[in-house]
Amino acid sequence: MNIIDFENIHRAYHRGADVLNGVTISIEAGRVVGLVGKNGAGKTTLLRIAMGMLEAQQGAVRLFGLDPRREPLEVKRRVGFVSEDQILPPFMKVEQILDLHRGLFPTWDESVAQDLIVRFGIPVRTKVKALSKGQARQVALLCAVAHKPELLLLDEPAAGLDPAARREFLETSIQLLNQLGTTILFSSHYMSDVERLADRIVMLHEGRVLIDSELDEIQEHYCLALVPHNGDASRAKLVSLDGCLGVRERSDALHAVFNLEPESTARLLEAELGITDSLCNRIALEDMFVELAGGQQ
Amino acid sequence: MQFVIIPGSELPIYRQIMRQVTDALSGGRLRPGDKLTSQRELAEQLVVSPLTVKKAYDELEREGLITTERGRGTFVTAAAAATDPRQQKERLRPEVRQLLSRARLSGVTVEALAKLLVEEEQHWNTERDAQS
């Protein structure tokens, strides 16, 4: 059974454009999936639907086979959630927050909690409002993992943290993966974090899944073709080719991303469009993101 | 053995790990019977997903270079010592391809490139002799 299933999820905001427009993703146990896409692509909306904080207008979401809107308690007991804008009660002391969680979760493991308190150096007698942003995020992470959830949902967990705090966050996540084998779905704008933590990547674009792939596949089986403006190469012609994921018009050339190896792409361009002067190269994750999510020039 | 990985590269992290093991084998820094860092430990050291390390180790095992003995750890196999020169050569192919494409772009001929290699080797040898 899958840990999480999104099936044809639609969600629009009142009078606004669609945020999610038919999203289907399934995640098996033990996988770590990085959810990427530019701001407004629908990442947060999707994670909130998984948590039952928002309802899908069409489609279904199941966690462990359960509907998070119908069985919220059962689902929340088995999930850990951290989000960028999570607000902990400012006038509570950290230890009071920990007490609260300890009472809520029957599976709370005090040794995990104590380990992280020591590791992060969390001042438990301090009030939340006196914590730094990084410390507050660490408390949120601690609360999300100490009950040993089967699934972690992290919405931009590293946003706003300095590089050292971000790394510490990653290190902790990896140790938890080692110890507990938790399934993780996390959104992030930091491609190097995605590369370190994830084994699968899902890219949302304009409310749909543009890429759903093993992480290594991107570097091994995708390429960026630079097609000079001369001749009659055009954006429309490139987009219509099989395997083309997106094209950007830039001043130097047309930038086209293909789900093909560089050699095959060059052959395809020559055979279909008679283009012989394209430059096709493998692509790093960050560049792929920019090419697909970035605007036209 | 120490590993270094570079995220943001066009080479997937699991390939970077594999390449460092094969390089260490051909360079004699890893020998048959040597024990490799455990997968969990390496994941924590490099701060990369345990699944990525597992993929690298699985591939190396498939190639017959390492073997995992349950409860004892992962070791370099005897077969890993006798590396086929042909295989060693194959491993260099991607870099050679890159070099060739750069040479083409800058109008350097294959002959000139070959000459450059020979020159560099001579240079290397003179330096080594000077040191010893």
Side-chain angles (χ1 to χ4, degrees):
Chain A
M1 194 189 64
N2 290 326
I3 294 289
I4 186 163
D5 280 297
F6 295 100
E7 214 192 292
N8 193 28
I9 300 285
H10 287 255
R11 171 83 206 192
Y13 287 109
H14 37 266
R15 274 177 297 217
D18 292 346
V19 180
L20 297 174
N21 196 2
V23 169
T24 299
I25 305 167
S26 292
I27 302 173
E28 317 92 271
R31 297 303 298 263
V32 181
V33 180
L35 188 62
V36 305
K38 64 177 166 186
N39 293 326
K43 305 183 296 293
T44 297
T45 306
L46 193 68
L47 290 169
R48 291 201 168 155
I49 287 173
M51 278 303 283
M53 295 152 80
L54 274 176
E55 192 156 28
Q57 285 150 340
Q58 243 190 77
V61 59
R62 294 286 179 273
L63 279 69
F64 328 106
L66 304 170
D67 180 341
R69 298 286 281 190
R70 295 211 167 160
E71 290 166 274
L73 282 180
E74 170 72 6
V75 166
K76 282 188 176 121
R77 278 201 176 134
R78 297 165 71 178
V79 178
F81 179 67
V82 179
S83 79
E84 183 195 3
D85 51 10
Q86 203 159 16
I87 297 162
L88 299 166
F91 292 100
M92 275 176 94
K93 287 181 182 170
V94 172
E95 56 190 1
Q96 291 173 312
I97 290 179
L98 296 184
D99 284 342
L100 194 71
H101 278 80
R102 209 175 281 123
L104 283 173
F105 293 101
T107 53
W108 184 269
D109 185 331
E110 193 56 31
S111 68
V112 174
Q114 289 305 325
D115 272 0
L116 289 179
I117 288 169
V118 173
R119 190 191 153 87
F120 290 148
I122 293 173
V124 288
R125 283 173 214 286
T126 305
K127 284 184 179 163
V128 166
K129 64 177 172 119
L131 296 176
S132 72
K133 201 186 236 177
Q135 285 175 320
R137 200 73 55 80
Q138 286 168 336
V139 172
L141 180 68
L142 192 163
C143 293
V145 301
H147 64 285
K148 301 206 272 190
E150 291 157 70
L151 170 68
L152 261 181
L153 295 171
L154 309 173
D155 188 12
E156 295 282 348
L161 301 186
D162 66 55
R166 236 174 82 201
R167 178 55 64 87
E168 190 137 30
F169 195 91
L170 270 181
E171 282 174 4
T172 308
S173 308
I174 281 159
Q175 282 177 355
L176 288 166
L177 273 177
N178 261 342
Q179 287 160 15
L180 309 170
T182 317
T183 307
I184 302 181
L185 172 61
F186 73 106
S187 67
S188 180
H189 284 312
Y190 297 108
M191 292 303 128
S192 64
D193 289 4
V194 172
E195 202 178 345
R196 283 178 183 277
L197 190 57
D199 53 275
R200 181 173 147 201
I201 184 166
V202 172
M203 181 169 181
L204 293 181
H205 190 61
E206 290 166 0
R208 293 172 189 275
V209 175
L210 181 62
I211 289 174
D212 182 347
S213 156
E214 298 287 315
L215 188 70
D216 314 320
E217 287 276 311
I218 306 273
Q219 290 135 313
E220 298 190 317
H221 300 293
Y222 283 62
C223 92
L224 173 65
L226 303 184
V227 181
H229 286 298
N230 55 23
D232 55 0
S234 71
R235 186 161 185 268
K237 280 186 187 165
L238 288 171
V239 171
S240 71
L241 291 176
D242 261 359
C244 182
L245 293 170
V247 180
R248 275 208 311 162
E249 296 206 31
R250 304 278 299 168
S251 61
D252 60 335
L254 290 154
H255 291 206
V257 176
F258 283 86
N259 180 6
L260 285 172
E261 311 221 3
E263 294 80 8
S264 321
T265 306
R267 275 200 299 274
L268 179 80
L269 288 171
E270 181 162 5
E272 295 291 324
L273 302 178
I275 297 165
T276 53
D277 52 356
S278 66
L279 263 183
C280 301
N281 275 300
R282 292 192 194 286
I283 187 166
L285 212 53
E286 176 130 0
D287 296 322
M288 191 200 63
F289 181 93
V290 172
E291 291 297 346
L292 291 176
Q296 304 295 323
Q297 187 177 358
Chain B
M1 133 170 213
Q2 296 297 315
F3 289 86
V4 181
I5 55 131
I6 307 164
S9 130
E10 286 141 53
L11 198 63
I13 292 176
Y14 89 94
R15 289 257 172 217
Q16 296 184 31
I17 295 171
M18 281 178 72
R19 183 185 277 187
Q20 286 174 56
V21 171
T22 51
D23 284 353
L25 283 170
S26 41
R29 278 179 297 128
L30 265 183
R31 290 167 201 280
D34 281 357
K35 190 175 181 179
L36 270 112
T37 315
S38 80
Q39 294 185 21
R40 286 170 172 223
E41 222 174 293
L42 189 57
E44 291 187 13
Q45 259 174 39
L46 298 177
V47 196
V48 299
S49 160
L51 286 168
T52 299
V53 178
K54 184 176 185 309
K55 187 164 184 179
Y57 277 36
D58 284 353
E59 285 284 312
L60 288 165
E61 191 151 355
R62 220 170 43 84
E63 290 183 7
L65 299 174
I66 62 173
T67 177
T68 301
E69 290 170 36
R70 201 175 275 187
R72 288 193 58 223
T74 304
F75 299 90
V76 177
T77 61
T83 31
D84 183 349
R86 250 183 327 181
Q87 256 186 19
Q88 302 282 25
K89 208 175 83 183
E90 274 311 305
R91 286 201 188 102
L92 288 176
R93 195 176 287 281
E95 272 100 336
V96 170
R97 223 179 245 186
Q98 253 178 10
L99 192 61
L100 200 59
S101 110
R102 269 194 70 191
R104 260 197 205 150
L105 285 173
S106 51
V108 175
T109 63
V110 178
E111 291 72 31
L113 202 59
K115 222 172 127 191
L116 199 60
L117 273 175
V118 175
E119 269 175 40
E120 270 308 301
E121 207 208 2
Q122 280 166 354
H123 185 64
W124 198 317
N125 288 343
T126 1
E127 268 191 357
R128 194 192 47 201
D129 293 346
Q131 270 170 17
S132 60

